[in-house]
Amino acid sequence: MKITLEEAARMVADAQTVILTSHIRPDGDSVGSTLGLMHYLREQGKDARVLIDDEIPRIFGVLPGVEQIARPAEGARYTADLLIVCDVELKRTGAVLDAVDAVRVLNIDHHVTNDEEAEYLYLNPDDAATCEIMYDLIRAMDGGFSLDAATCFYTGIATDTGFFRFSNTTPHTMRAAADLIEIGVKPNIIAVAMEMKSYDEVMAQVRAIRNLEMFYDGRVAAVFIDEERAKDVTTTEGILDKLRVIEGTQVVFFMKWLEPDTYRVSMRSKGTNVSRIAQGFGGGGHIRAAGCTLHGSFDEAKKTILAAIGEELNR
Ligand code: AMP
Ligand code: MN
Ligand code: MN
């Protein structure tokens, strides 16, 4: 059931014990939104914790409290008045959903592809980031932002907007970020931390990008990372930023081997609806940034995604 921001704020304010979670393959917005709200709730005297069923990439070490994010332990049960699922629909939270007994479940998201399965859902696809929603949510609770919470929320807003460059960046996005900077967040520190890579990671990316392929008269640029190359491409962060700049490209993507017969596809566009393509394969996202998982042989998966993109380009 869709609810308003004010209703969501009331649910959050009414809960005493809160568990926050988000999607697997954590990004700045998933970690920032859960951790930031955790800080706020603790500052209100509530019992709040974050459970995420994945490793947290080390770039998020800059976020205060990140070491307190826990992965649900095998067979463990967790209880709470409220489970808040941030930046994703319920089904992509790994083992968390089944491990938590919560009186109520609230989903807070900005993905246009959200399946709306949650008991209570506050969805705003006009917001660039779930962290931008969190900013409004806390304002709706008449709350202020500690530097810890502000740092987390700023990070999610910055990363989901490509540091305020993508088309989802609005005056509201900038105003929220400006308020968070006013509290003391240092944009340069967040930017440097988010872009940090090891020498080996940079070199692996360079090798991956050297195998870049162009399709559809240069309208599509793609990098295919097979099982062999996936071993050293330990981070895909930033690869698509390198492809996006190629003149004439409409859609850029990578397909990366995950496990046998399973590949992750991540797409970016300059207007082509890539979320529709992703949804066709059980994935989702936003019009200009979406992802999905493909199965089968590498060559089949490559053909399949290329055909789907070609079809969308010609719509
Ligand atoms: P990424 O390419 O992984 O940065 O993801 C781009 C956008 O698509 C993000 O908003 C993701 O949450 C979303 N997304 C990526 N993969 C999936 C998936 N398998 N299912 C649903 N949404 C996804
Ligand atoms: Mn996310
Ligand atoms: Mn997001």
Side-chain angles (χ1 to χ4, degrees):
M1 179 179 72
K2 281 202 187 168
I3 60 172
T4 63
L5 184 72
E6 288 67 31
E7 287 167 332
R10 210 166 310 129
M11 280 182 74
V12 174
D14 285 348
Q16 187 55 37
T17 319
V18 181
I19 294 175
L20 299 130
T21 191
S22 189
H23 55 80
I24 52 169
R25 261 182 273 294
D27 57 23
D29 196 27
S30 60
V31 179
S33 59
T34 50
L35 206 54
L37 190 55
M38 178 198 86
H39 285 301
Y40 173 79
L41 293 172
R42 287 185 179 177
E43 288 151 14
Q44 307 305 306
K46 296 177 192 289
D47 177 347
R49 63 180 303 187
V50 179
L51 288 178
I52 292 178
D53 190 20
D54 209 339
E55 296 276 312
I56 307 297
R58 67 194 176 94
I59 55 170
F60 301 120
V62 72
L63 298 182
V66 74
E67 70 289 344
Q68 294 172 43
I69 298 179
R71 225 179 149 151
E74 184 116 15
R77 308 288 321 158
Y78 304 84
T79 56
D81 298 335
L82 184 64
L83 171 66
I84 309 180
V85 177
C86 304
D87 195 43
V88 71
E89 59 213 8
L90 270 43
K91 68 171 188 268
R92 223 157 59 83
T93 55
V96 173
L97 208 59
D98 286 339
V100 175
D101 295 308
V103 180
R104 300 209 276 187
V105 178
L106 168 63
N107 187 191
I108 299 178
D109 193 14
H110 70 126
H111 290 90
V112 66
T113 54
N114 187 294
D115 64 9
E116 303 185 15
E117 289 288 318
E119 186 187 1
Y120 300 98
L121 168 66
Y122 178 69
L123 178 68
N124 190 351
D126 294 333
D127 274 319
T130 300
C131 283
E132 190 176 337
I133 300 179
M134 292 303 177
Y135 171 87
D136 288 334
L137 183 79
I138 288 176
R139 295 283 294 255
M141 293 189 285
D142 296 322
F145 300 89
S146 65
L147 181 56
D148 285 353
T151 302
C152 294
F153 295 145
Y154 178 88
T155 299
I157 294 173
T159 51
D160 264 24
T161 57
F163 284 81
F164 312 99
R165 288 175 303 146
F166 301 157
S167 61
N168 57 0
T169 307
T170 65
H172 179 269
T173 315
M174 296 294 242
R175 288 195 181 100
D179 279 354
L180 299 172
I181 291 171
E182 201 131 61
I183 286 153
V185 179
K186 296 277 180 281
N188 55 317
I189 291 176
I190 304 302
V192 167
M194 293 304 113
E195 289 175 353
M196 184 189 64
K197 287 184 185 61
S198 69
Y199 172 82
D200 288 344
E201 284 169 342
V202 170
M203 294 313 282
Q205 280 203 355
V206 168
R207 286 192 292 274
I209 292 170
R210 281 180 65 171
N211 291 298
L212 143 76
E213 294 178 59
M214 303 296 291
F215 303 92
Y216 301 113
D217 299 322
R219 285 183 292 163
V220 175
V223 165
F224 295 90
I225 304 164
D226 61 14
E227 181 172 359
E228 192 53 36
R229 283 197 211 124
K231 283 183 195 135
D232 41 73
V233 181
T234 45
T235 174
T236 49
E237 208 58 56
I239 289 184
L240 296 180
D241 293 329
K242 297 284 182 294
L243 305 194
R244 275 189 314 117
V245 300
I246 301 171
E247 200 176 359
T249 52
Q250 295 298 319
V251 175
V252 301
F253 74 99
F254 68 75
M255 182 180 107
K256 185 183 180 219
W257 184 91
L258 270 189
E259 53 186 51
D261 291 327
T262 308
Y263 316 93
R264 172 181 165 214
V265 170
S266 179
M267 298 176 278
R268 298 290 181 270
S269 91
K270 292 171 184 158
T272 307
N273 190 344
V274 289
S275 78
R276 187 156 47 205
I277 302 169
Q279 274 185 307
F281 300 107
H286 312 280
I287 289 172
R288 293 175 170 83
C292 56
T293 305
L294 296 180
H295 300 280
S297 79
F298 195 85
D299 291 344
E300 269 170 46
K302 179 173 174 176
K303 265 191 210 142
T304 303
I305 189 67
L306 276 170
I309 290 171
E311 204 174 296
E312 192 63 40
L313 277 177
N314 295 323
R315 269 176 95 101

mmCIF file with all atom_site columns, all heavy atoms in Angstrom, residues 132-155:
data_model
loop_
_atom_site.group_PDB
_atom_site.id
_atom_site.type_symbol
_atom_site.label_atom_id
_atom_site.label_alt_id
_atom_site.label_comp_id
_atom_site.label_asym_id
_atom_site.label_entity_id
_atom_site.label_seq_id
_atom_site.pdbx_PDB_ins_code
_atom_site.Cartn_x
_atom_site.Cartn_y
_atom_site.Cartn_z
_atom_site.occupancy
_atom_site.B_iso_or_equiv
_atom_site.pdbx_formal_charge
_atom_site.auth_seq_id
_atom_site.auth_comp_id
_atom_site.auth_asym_id
_atom_site.auth_atom_id
_atom_site.pdbx_PDB_model_num
ATOM 1   N N   . GLU A 1 132 ? 17.834 11.298 -0.491 1.00 0.00 ? 132 GLU A N   1
ATOM 2   C CA  . GLU A 1 132 ? 17.109 12.565 -0.650 1.00 0.00 ? 132 GLU A CA  1
ATOM 3   C C   . GLU A 1 132 ? 15.740 12.444 0.027  1.00 0.00 ? 132 GLU A C   1
ATOM 4   O O   . GLU A 1 132 ? 15.255 13.391 0.661  1.00 0.00 ? 132 GLU A O   1
ATOM 5   C CB  . GLU A 1 132 ? 16.969 12.894 -2.139 1.00 0.00 ? 132 GLU A CB  1
ATOM 6   C CG  . GLU A 1 132 ? 16.462 14.286 -2.421 1.00 0.00 ? 132 GLU A CG  1
ATOM 7   C CD  . GLU A 1 132 ? 16.422 14.600 -3.923 1.00 0.00 ? 132 GLU A CD  1
ATOM 8   O OE1 . GLU A 1 132 ? 17.150 13.964 -4.718 1.00 0.00 ? 132 GLU A OE1 1
ATOM 9   O OE2 . GLU A 1 132 ? 15.629 15.487 -4.294 1.00 0.00 ? 132 GLU A OE2 1
ATOM 10  N N   . ILE A 1 133 ? 15.131 11.258 -0.077 1.00 0.00 ? 133 ILE A N   1
ATOM 11  C CA  . ILE A 1 133 ? 13.869 11.002 0.636  1.00 0.00 ? 133 ILE A CA  1
ATOM 12  C C   . ILE A 1 133 ? 14.113 11.078 2.141  1.00 0.00 ? 133 ILE A C   1
ATOM 13  O O   . ILE A 1 133 ? 13.318 11.657 2.880  1.00 0.00 ? 133 ILE A O   1
ATOM 14  C CB  . ILE A 1 133 ? 13.295 9.611  0.274  1.00 0.00 ? 133 ILE A CB  1
ATOM 15  C CG1 . ILE A 1 133 ? 13.015 9.507  -1.233 1.00 0.00 ? 133 ILE A CG1 1
ATOM 16  C CG2 . ILE A 1 133 ? 12.044 9.319  1.104  1.00 0.00 ? 133 ILE A CG2 1
ATOM 17  C CD1 . ILE A 1 133 ? 12.478 8.149  -1.681 1.00 0.00 ? 133 ILE A CD1 1
ATOM 18  N N   . MET A 1 134 ? 15.220 10.496 2.595  1.00 0.00 ? 134 MET A N   1
ATOM 19  C CA  . MET A 1 134 ? 15.528 10.499 4.032  1.00 0.00 ? 134 MET A CA  1
ATOM 20  C C   . MET A 1 134 ? 15.651 11.931 4.570  1.00 0.00 ? 134 MET A C   1
ATOM 21  O O   . MET A 1 134 ? 15.242 12.221 5.692  1.00 0.00 ? 134 MET A O   1
ATOM 22  C CB  . MET A 1 134 ? 16.836 9.741  4.309  1.00 0.00 ? 134 MET A CB  1
ATOM 23  C CG  . MET A 1 134 ? 16.742 8.255  4.058  1.00 0.00 ? 134 MET A CG  1
ATOM 24  S SD  . MET A 1 134 ? 15.423 7.524  5.027  1.00 0.00 ? 134 MET A SD  1
ATOM 25  C CE  . MET A 1 134 ? 15.495 5.834  4.462  1.00 0.00 ? 134 MET A CE  1
ATOM 26  N N   . TYR A 1 135 ? 16.220 12.777 3.750  1.00 0.00 ? 135 TYR A N   1
ATOM 27  C CA  . TYR A 1 135 ? 16.332 14.189 4.133  1.00 0.00 ? 135 TYR A CA  1
ATOM 28  C C   . TYR A 1 135 ? 14.942 14.762 4.409  1.00 0.00 ? 135 TYR A C   1
ATOM 29  O O   . TYR A 1 135 ? 14.694 15.374 5.445  1.00 0.00 ? 135 TYR A O   1
ATOM 30  C CB  . TYR A 1 135 ? 17.045 14.962 3.012  1.00 0.00 ? 135 TYR A CB  1
ATOM 31  C CG  . TYR A 1 135 ? 17.031 16.449 3.194  1.00 0.00 ? 135 TYR A CG  1
ATOM 32  C CD1 . TYR A 1 135 ? 18.017 17.084 3.937  1.00 0.00 ? 135 TYR A CD1 1
ATOM 33  C CD2 . TYR A 1 135 ? 16.013 17.227 2.630  1.00 0.00 ? 135 TYR A CD2 1
ATOM 34  C CE1 . TYR A 1 135 ? 17.996 18.460 4.123  1.00 0.00 ? 135 TYR A CE1 1
ATOM 35  C CE2 . TYR A 1 135 ? 15.980 18.596 2.810  1.00 0.00 ? 135 TYR A CE2 1
ATOM 36  C CZ  . TYR A 1 135 ? 16.978 19.211 3.558  1.00 0.00 ? 135 TYR A CZ  1
ATOM 37  O OH  . TYR A 1 135 ? 16.940 20.568 3.742  1.00 0.00 ? 135 TYR A OH  1
ATOM 38  N N   . ASP A 1 136 ? 13.999 14.510 3.476  1.00 0.00 ? 136 ASP A N   1
ATOM 39  C CA  . ASP A 1 136 ? 12.627 15.008 3.648  1.00 0.00 ? 136 ASP A CA  1
ATOM 40  C C   . ASP A 1 136 ? 11.917 14.322 4.819  1.00 0.00 ? 136 ASP A C   1
ATOM 41  O O   . ASP A 1 136 ? 11.139 14.949 5.530  1.00 0.00 ? 136 ASP A O   1
ATOM 42  C CB  . ASP A 1 136 ? 11.819 14.778 2.371  1.00 0.00 ? 136 ASP A CB  1
ATOM 43  C CG  . ASP A 1 136 ? 12.239 15.716 1.254  1.00 0.00 ? 136 ASP A CG  1
ATOM 44  O OD1 . ASP A 1 136 ? 12.751 16.810 1.562  1.00 0.00 ? 136 ASP A OD1 1
ATOM 45  O OD2 . ASP A 1 136 ? 12.057 15.357 0.078  1.00 0.00 ? 136 ASP A OD2 1
ATOM 46  N N   . LEU A 1 137 ? 12.193 13.031 4.973  1.00 0.00 ? 137 LEU A N   1
ATOM 47  C CA  . LEU A 1 137 ? 11.545 12.260 6.037  1.00 0.00 ? 137 LEU A CA  1
ATOM 48  C C   . LEU A 1 137 ? 11.904 12.830 7.411  1.00 0.00 ? 137 LEU A C   1
ATOM 49  O O   . LEU A 1 137 ? 11.047 13.013 8.279  1.00 0.00 ? 137 LEU A O   1
ATOM 50  C CB  . LEU A 1 137 ? 11.992 10.793 5.948  1.00 0.00 ? 137 LEU A CB  1
ATOM 51  C CG  . LEU A 1 137 ? 11.363 9.827  6.944  1.00 0.00 ? 137 LEU A CG  1
ATOM 52  C CD1 . LEU A 1 137 ? 9.959  9.435  6.494  1.00 0.00 ? 137 LEU A CD1 1
ATOM 53  C CD2 . LEU A 1 137 ? 12.213 8.566  7.091  1.00 0.00 ? 137 LEU A CD2 1
ATOM 54  N N   . ILE A 1 138 ? 13.175 13.126 7.587  1.00 0.00 ? 138 ILE A N   1
ATOM 55  C CA  . ILE A 1 138 ? 13.624 13.648 8.883  1.00 0.00 ? 138 ILE A CA  1
ATOM 56  C C   . ILE A 1 138 ? 13.111 15.068 9.094  1.00 0.00 ? 138 ILE A C   1
ATOM 57  O O   . ILE A 1 138 ? 12.707 15.441 10.187 1.00 0.00 ? 138 ILE A O   1
ATOM 58  C CB  . ILE A 1 138 ? 15.153 13.507 9.009  1.00 0.00 ? 138 ILE A CB  1
ATOM 59  C CG1 . ILE A 1 138 ? 15.466 12.014 9.186  1.00 0.00 ? 138 ILE A CG1 1
ATOM 60  C CG2 . ILE A 1 138 ? 15.716 14.343 10.150 1.00 0.00 ? 138 ILE A CG2 1
ATOM 61  C CD1 . ILE A 1 138 ? 16.919 11.646 9.230  1.00 0.00 ? 138 ILE A CD1 1
ATOM 62  N N   . ARG A 1 139 ? 13.061 15.823 8.013  1.00 0.00 ? 139 ARG A N   1
ATOM 63  C CA  . ARG A 1 139 ? 12.452 17.157 8.121  1.00 0.00 ? 139 ARG A CA  1
ATOM 64  C C   . ARG A 1 139 ? 10.982 17.035 8.522  1.00 0.00 ? 139 ARG A C   1
ATOM 65  O O   . ARG A 1 139 ? 10.478 17.827 9.315  1.00 0.00 ? 139 ARG A O   1
ATOM 66  C CB  . ARG A 1 139 ? 12.579 17.904 6.787  1.00 0.00 ? 139 ARG A CB  1
ATOM 67  C CG  . ARG A 1 139 ? 14.016 18.228 6.384  1.00 0.00 ? 139 ARG A CG  1
ATOM 68  C CD  . ARG A 1 139 ? 14.589 19.403 7.147  1.00 0.00 ? 139 ARG A CD  1
ATOM 69  N NE  . ARG A 1 139 ? 13.896 20.618 6.803  1.00 0.00 ? 139 ARG A NE  1
ATOM 70  C CZ  . ARG A 1 139 ? 14.377 21.579 6.016  1.00 0.00 ? 139 ARG A CZ  1
ATOM 71  N NH1 . ARG A 1 139 ? 15.599 21.484 5.532  1.00 0.00 ? 139 ARG A NH1 1
ATOM 72  N NH2 . ARG A 1 139 ? 13.675 22.643 5.735  1.00 0.00 ? 139 ARG A NH2 1
ATOM 73  N N   . ALA A 1 140 ? 10.297 16.024 7.965  1.00 0.00 ? 140 ALA A N   1
ATOM 74  C CA  . ALA A 1 140 ? 8.880  15.811 8.285  1.00 0.00 ? 140 ALA A CA  1
ATOM 75  C C   . ALA A 1 140 ? 8.697  15.406 9.746  1.00 0.00 ? 140 ALA A C   1
ATOM 76  O O   . ALA A 1 140 ? 7.621  15.587 10.313 1.00 0.00 ? 140 ALA A O   1
ATOM 77  C CB  . ALA A 1 140 ? 8.283  14.742 7.366  1.00 0.00 ? 140 ALA A CB  1
ATOM 78  N N   . MET A 1 141 ? 9.767  14.831 10.346 1.00 0.00 ? 141 MET A N   1
ATOM 79  C CA  . MET A 1 141 ? 9.681  14.474 11.767 1.00 0.00 ? 141 MET A CA  1
ATOM 80  C C   . MET A 1 141 ? 10.204 15.633 12.631 1.00 0.00 ? 141 MET A C   1
ATOM 81  O O   . MET A 1 141 ? 10.459 15.451 13.814 1.00 0.00 ? 141 MET A O   1
ATOM 82  C CB  . MET A 1 141 ? 10.484 13.195 12.027 1.00 0.00 ? 141 MET A CB  1
ATOM 83  C CG  . MET A 1 141 ? 9.875  11.984 11.348 1.00 0.00 ? 141 MET A CG  1
ATOM 84  S SD  . MET A 1 141 ? 10.618 10.409 11.813 1.00 0.00 ? 141 MET A SD  1
ATOM 85  C CE  . MET A 1 141 ? 12.161 10.458 10.939 1.00 0.00 ? 141 MET A CE  1
ATOM 86  N N   . ASP A 1 142 ? 10.400 16.782 11.996 1.00 0.00 ? 142 ASP A N   1
ATOM 87  C CA  . ASP A 1 142 ? 10.926 17.965 12.673 1.00 0.00 ? 142 ASP A CA  1
ATOM 88  C C   . ASP A 1 142 ? 12.301 17.724 13.269 1.00 0.00 ? 142 ASP A C   1
ATOM 89  O O   . ASP A 1 142 ? 12.673 18.338 14.264 1.00 0.00 ? 142 ASP A O   1
ATOM 90  C CB  . ASP A 1 142 ? 9.971  18.443 13.788 1.00 0.00 ? 142 ASP A CB  1
ATOM 91  C CG  . ASP A 1 142 ? 8.650  18.896 13.204 1.00 0.00 ? 142 ASP A CG  1
ATOM 92  O OD1 . ASP A 1 142 ? 8.676  19.506 12.115 1.00 0.00 ? 142 ASP A OD1 1
ATOM 93  O OD2 . ASP A 1 142 ? 7.608  18.623 13.816 1.00 0.00 ? 142 ASP A OD2 1
ATOM 94  N N   . GLY A 1 143 ? 13.045 16.797 12.655 1.00 0.00 ? 143 GLY A N   1
ATOM 95  C CA  . GLY A 1 143 ? 14.345 16.453 13.217 1.00 0.00 ? 143 GLY A CA  1
ATOM 96  C C   . GLY A 1 143 ? 15.469 17.271 12.614 1.00 0.00 ? 143 GLY A C   1
ATOM 97  O O   . GLY A 1 143 ? 15.325 17.870 11.550 1.00 0.00 ? 143 GLY A O   1
ATOM 98  N N   . GLY A 1 144 ? 16.571 17.277 13.300 1.00 0.00 ? 144 GLY A N   1
ATOM 99  C CA  . GLY A 1 144 ? 17.776 17.903 12.774 1.00 0.00 ? 144 GLY A CA  1
ATOM 100 C C   . GLY A 1 144 ? 18.742 16.815 12.360 1.00 0.00 ? 144 GLY A C   1
ATOM 101 O O   . GLY A 1 144 ? 18.500 15.625 12.613 1.00 0.00 ? 144 GLY A O   1
ATOM 102 N N   . PHE A 1 145 ? 19.835 17.221 11.722 1.00 0.00 ? 145 PHE A N   1
ATOM 103 C CA  . PHE A 1 145 ? 20.809 16.252 11.245 1.00 0.00 ? 145 PHE A CA  1
ATOM 104 C C   . PHE A 1 145 ? 22.105 16.371 12.021 1.00 0.00 ? 145 PHE A C   1
ATOM 105 O O   . PHE A 1 145 ? 22.703 17.445 12.078 1.00 0.00 ? 145 PHE A O   1
ATOM 106 C CB  . PHE A 1 145 ? 21.114 16.487 9.764  1.00 0.00 ? 145 PHE A CB  1
ATOM 107 C CG  . PHE A 1 145 ? 19.895 16.356 8.882  1.00 0.00 ? 145 PHE A CG  1
ATOM 108 C CD1 . PHE A 1 145 ? 19.082 17.451 8.618  1.00 0.00 ? 145 PHE A CD1 1
ATOM 109 C CD2 . PHE A 1 145 ? 19.561 15.126 8.341  1.00 0.00 ? 145 PHE A CD2 1
ATOM 110 C CE1 . PHE A 1 145 ? 17.953 17.323 7.817  1.00 0.00 ? 145 PHE A CE1 1
ATOM 111 C CE2 . PHE A 1 145 ? 18.439 14.984 7.536  1.00 0.00 ? 145 PHE A CE2 1
ATOM 112 C CZ  . PHE A 1 145 ? 17.631 16.090 7.276  1.00 0.00 ? 145 PHE A CZ  1
ATOM 113 N N   . SER A 1 146 ? 22.544 15.267 12.596 1.00 0.00 ? 146 SER A N   1
ATOM 114 C CA  . SER A 1 146 ? 23.886 15.248 13.176 1.00 0.00 ? 146 SER A CA  1
ATOM 115 C C   . SER A 1 146 ? 24.869 15.162 12.012 1.00 0.00 ? 146 SER A C   1
ATOM 116 O O   . SER A 1 146 ? 24.484 14.822 10.887 1.00 0.00 ? 146 SER A O   1
ATOM 117 C CB  . SER A 1 146 ? 24.051 14.015 14.070 1.00 0.00 ? 146 SER A CB  1
ATOM 118 O OG  . SER A 1 146 ? 23.961 12.846 13.271 1.00 0.00 ? 146 SER A OG  1
ATOM 119 N N   . LEU A 1 147 ? 26.142 15.427 12.281 1.00 0.00 ? 147 LEU A N   1
ATOM 120 C CA  . LEU A 1 147 ? 27.137 15.319 11.213 1.00 0.00 ? 147 LEU A CA  1
ATOM 121 C C   . LEU A 1 147 ? 27.237 13.872 10.700 1.00 0.00 ? 147 LEU A C   1
ATOM 122 O O   . LEU A 1 147 ? 27.417 13.643 9.501  1.00 0.00 ? 147 LEU A O   1
ATOM 123 C CB  . LEU A 1 147 ? 28.509 15.819 11.710 1.00 0.00 ? 147 LEU A CB  1
ATOM 124 C CG  . LEU A 1 147 ? 29.634 15.784 10.679 1.00 0.00 ? 147 LEU A CG  1
ATOM 125 C CD1 . LEU A 1 147 ? 29.265 16.562 9.413  1.00 0.00 ? 147 LEU A CD1 1
ATOM 126 C CD2 . LEU A 1 147 ? 30.932 16.329 11.275 1.00 0.00 ? 147 LEU A CD2 1
ATOM 127 N N   . ASP A 1 148 ? 27.083 12.897 11.602 1.00 0.00 ? 148 ASP A N   1
ATOM 128 C CA  . ASP A 1 148 ? 27.125 11.492 11.184 1.00 0.00 ? 148 ASP A CA  1
ATOM 129 C C   . ASP A 1 148 ? 26.018 11.182 10.177 1.00 0.00 ? 148 ASP A C   1
ATOM 130 O O   . ASP A 1 148 ? 26.265 10.603 9.112  1.00 0.00 ? 148 ASP A O   1
ATOM 131 C CB  . ASP A 1 148 ? 26.977 10.558 12.395 1.00 0.00 ? 148 ASP A CB  1
ATOM 132 C CG  . ASP A 1 148 ? 28.252 10.495 13.233 1.00 0.00 ? 148 ASP A CG  1
ATOM 133 O OD1 . ASP A 1 148 ? 29.273 11.066 12.802 1.00 0.00 ? 148 ASP A OD1 1
ATOM 134 O OD2 . ASP A 1 148 ? 28.213 9.870  14.315 1.00 0.00 ? 148 ASP A OD2 1
ATOM 135 N N   . ALA A 1 149 ? 24.804 11.575 10.520 1.00 0.00 ? 149 ALA A N   1
ATOM 136 C CA  . ALA A 1 149 ? 23.669 11.309 9.625  1.00 0.00 ? 149 ALA A CA  1
ATOM 137 C C   . ALA A 1 149 ? 23.835 12.088 8.323  1.00 0.00 ? 149 ALA A C   1
ATOM 138 O O   . ALA A 1 149 ? 23.635 11.550 7.226  1.00 0.00 ? 149 ALA A O   1
ATOM 139 C CB  . ALA A 1 149 ? 22.356 11.677 10.319 1.00 0.00 ? 149 ALA A CB  1
ATOM 140 N N   . ALA A 1 150 ? 24.231 13.347 8.433  1.00 0.00 ? 150 ALA A N   1
ATOM 141 C CA  . ALA A 1 150 ? 24.380 14.193 7.244  1.00 0.00 ? 150 ALA A CA  1
ATOM 142 C C   . ALA A 1 150 ? 25.415 13.617 6.283  1.00 0.00 ? 150 ALA A C   1
ATOM 143 O O   . ALA A 1 150 ? 25.224 13.620 5.059  1.00 0.00 ? 150 ALA A O   1
ATOM 144 C CB  . ALA A 1 150 ? 24.773 15.614 7.663  1.00 0.00 ? 150 ALA A CB  1
ATOM 145 N N   . THR A 1 151 ? 26.521 13.093 6.842  1.00 0.00 ? 151 THR A N   1
ATOM 146 C CA  . THR A 1 151 ? 27.583 12.516 6.003  1.00 0.00 ? 151 THR A CA  1
ATOM 147 C C   . THR A 1 151 ? 27.042 11.325 5.205  1.00 0.00 ? 151 THR A C   1
ATOM 148 O O   . THR A 1 151 ? 27.315 11.176 4.014  1.00 0.00 ? 151 THR A O   1
ATOM 149 C CB  . THR A 1 151 ? 28.768 12.066 6.896  1.00 0.00 ? 151 THR A CB  1
ATOM 150 O OG1 . THR A 1 151 ? 29.235 13.210 7.623  1.00 0.00 ? 151 THR A OG1 1
ATOM 151 C CG2 . THR A 1 151 ? 29.902 11.479 6.082  1.00 0.00 ? 151 THR A CG2 1
ATOM 152 N N   . CYS A 1 152 ? 26.268 10.494 5.875  1.00 0.00 ? 152 CYS A N   1
ATOM 153 C CA  . CYS A 1 152 ? 25.684 9.325  5.197  1.00 0.00 ? 152 CYS A CA  1
ATOM 154 C C   . CYS A 1 152 ? 24.720 9.754  4.093  1.00 0.00 ? 152 CYS A C   1
ATOM 155 O O   . CYS A 1 152 ? 24.786 9.257  2.959  1.00 0.00 ? 152 CYS A O   1
ATOM 156 C CB  . CYS A 1 152 ? 24.951 8.452  6.213  1.00 0.00 ? 152 CYS A CB  1
ATOM 157 S SG  . CYS A 1 152 ? 26.042 7.692  7.423  1.00 0.00 ? 152 CYS A SG  1
ATOM 158 N N   . PHE A 1 153 ? 23.829 10.680 4.402  1.00 0.00 ? 153 PHE A N   1
ATOM 159 C CA  . PHE A 1 153 ? 22.824 11.091 3.412  1.00 0.00 ? 153 PHE A CA  1
ATOM 160 C C   . PHE A 1 153 ? 23.478 11.818 2.230  1.00 0.00 ? 153 PHE A C   1
ATOM 161 O O   . PHE A 1 153 ? 23.101 11.630 1.080  1.00 0.00 ? 153 PHE A O   1
ATOM 162 C CB  . PHE A 1 153 ? 21.749 11.978 4.052  1.00 0.00 ? 153 PHE A CB  1
ATOM 163 C CG  . PHE A 1 153 ? 20.926 11.254 5.085  1.00 0.00 ? 153 PHE A CG  1
ATOM 164 C CD1 . PHE A 1 153 ? 20.465 11.911 6.229  1.00 0.00 ? 153 PHE A CD1 1
ATOM 165 C CD2 . PHE A 1 153 ? 20.600 9.906  4.928  1.00 0.00 ? 153 PHE A CD2 1
ATOM 166 C CE1 . PHE A 1 153 ? 19.700 11.248 7.173  1.00 0.00 ? 153 PHE A CE1 1
ATOM 167 C CE2 . PHE A 1 153 ? 19.845 9.226  5.877  1.00 0.00 ? 153 PHE A CE2 1
ATOM 168 C CZ  . PHE A 1 153 ? 19.392 9.901  7.011  1.00 0.00 ? 153 PHE A CZ  1
ATOM 169 N N   . TYR A 1 154 ? 24.449 12.648 2.518  1.00 0.00 ? 154 TYR A N   1
ATOM 170 C CA  . TYR A 1 154 ? 25.137 13.362 1.429  1.00 0.00 ? 154 TYR A CA  1
ATOM 171 C C   . TYR A 1 154 ? 25.765 12.350 0.467  1.00 0.00 ? 154 TYR A C   1
ATOM 172 O O   . TYR A 1 154 ? 25.701 12.514 -0.763 1.00 0.00 ? 154 TYR A O   1
ATOM 173 C CB  . TYR A 1 154 ? 26.214 14.301 1.981  1.00 0.00 ? 154 TYR A CB  1
ATOM 174 C CG  . TYR A 1 154 ? 26.963 15.005 0.870  1.00 0.00 ? 154 TYR A CG  1
ATOM 175 C CD1 . TYR A 1 154 ? 26.496 16.212 0.345  1.00 0.00 ? 154 TYR A CD1 1
ATOM 176 C CD2 . TYR A 1 154 ? 28.092 14.420 0.294  1.00 0.00 ? 154 TYR A CD2 1
ATOM 177 C CE1 . TYR A 1 154 ? 27.145 16.826 -0.716 1.00 0.00 ? 154 TYR A CE1 1
ATOM 178 C CE2 . TYR A 1 154 ? 28.742 15.026 -0.771 1.00 0.00 ? 154 TYR A CE2 1
ATOM 179 C CZ  . TYR A 1 154 ? 28.260 16.220 -1.267 1.00 0.00 ? 154 TYR A CZ  1
ATOM 180 O OH  . TYR A 1 154 ? 28.903 16.813 -2.329 1.00 0.00 ? 154 TYR A OH  1
ATOM 181 N N   . THR A 1 155 ? 26.368 11.307 1.022  1.00 0.00 ? 155 THR A N   1
ATOM 182 C CA  . THR A 1 155 ? 27.054 10.299 0.195  1.00 0.00 ? 155 THR A CA  1
ATOM 183 C C   . THR A 1 155 ? 26.078 9.636  -0.783 1.00 0.00 ? 155 THR A C   1
ATOM 184 O O   . THR A 1 155 ? 26.392 9.460  -1.966 1.00 0.00 ? 155 THR A O   1
ATOM 185 C CB  . THR A 1 155 ? 27.728 9.247  1.093  1.00 0.00 ? 155 THR A CB  1
ATOM 186 O OG1 . THR A 1 155 ? 28.690 9.928  1.909  1.00 0.00 ? 155 THR A OG1 1
ATOM 187 C CG2 . THR A 1 155 ? 28.415 8.166  0.277  1.00 0.00 ? 155 THR A CG2 1
#
